[in-house]
Amino acid sequence: MFSKILVPTDGSELSARAIQGAVELASKLGARILGLTVVEPYAYASLSEYRPETIAEYEQRADEVARERLAMLENIANKSNVAVETTVVRSFSPFEAIIETTERLGCDAIFMASHGRRGLSAVLLGSETQKVLTHSKVPVMVYR
């Protein structure tokens, strides 16, 4: 059915629960997991001369956060003997990074969490999960 499942994580508690669900599914299907985390690139602001941190400092901090997120995913997968690879993508648009990574690396499904925003907060903040559902060419499983 599915052989390579993309599992995006933002490091949240809900993402951790979704990872567990994805690992259980992958274990039953004999599938591999590709763990993905998206980090925002350094934002250049032309309105101000002051920068709280250098590009190098920001990128080092972002890389550390990404490694922590993906280490959690790897640990859960390894405990269940599920093959796992991980990747980090820098993008201002997480949903686009998820879609592009799915296509680029040949994943045949996406398994992701939904934070369940409703009403005005969903309209104002948008939903990365909804955007992935709308634009994905492969099946998307949403964990809530």
Side-chain angles (χ1 to χ4, degrees):
M1 180 177 234
F2 302 121
S3 61
K4 191 173 187 181
I5 303 169
L6 182 83
V7 182
T9 180
D10 62 5
S12 67
E13 184 178 323
L14 184 56
S15 258
R17 291 195 309 255
I19 290 167
Q20 187 62 50
V23 167
E24 289 172 16
L25 176 66
S27 180
K28 289 176 183 174
L29 297 176
R32 298 178 306 160
I33 285 183
L34 176 68
L36 167 70
T37 195
V38 180
V39 294
E40 195 170 293
Y42 187 82
Y44 296 92
S46 61
L47 299 175
S48 171
E49 294 291 322
Y50 175 72
R51 304 265 194 245
E53 61 188 343
T54 67
I55 294 172
E57 291 168 338
Y58 174 82
E59 288 184 351
Q60 180 180 357
R61 185 173 53 82
D63 288 344
E64 289 172 10
V65 168
R67 277 193 299 275
E68 288 172 12
R69 291 176 185 174
L70 294 173
M72 176 184 61
L73 187 147
E74 288 175 322
N75 289 337
I76 293 170
N78 288 335
K79 286 179 185 176
S80 296
N81 295 316
V82 171
V84 62
E85 302 169 49
T86 61
T87 189
V88 178
V89 174
R90 281 183 163 61
S91 176
F92 287 112
S93 176
F95 93 89
E96 289 178 333
I98 292 167
I99 298 296
E100 289 168 7
T101 303
T102 299
E103 293 172 359
R104 181 172 46 86
L105 297 179
C107 298
D108 48 20
I110 301 169
F111 193 109
M112 64 188 299
S114 172
H115 290 279
R117 290 188 184 99
R118 299 185 194 283
L120 186 58
S121 67
V123 171
L124 294 175
L125 298 174
S127 165
E128 296 304 317
T129 304
Q130 183 63 41
K131 293 172 191 170
V132 170
L133 283 165
T134 303
H135 293 89
S136 179
K137 295 176 184 170
V138 300
V140 179
M141 292 163 274
V142 179
Y143 186 90
R144 282 185 28 167

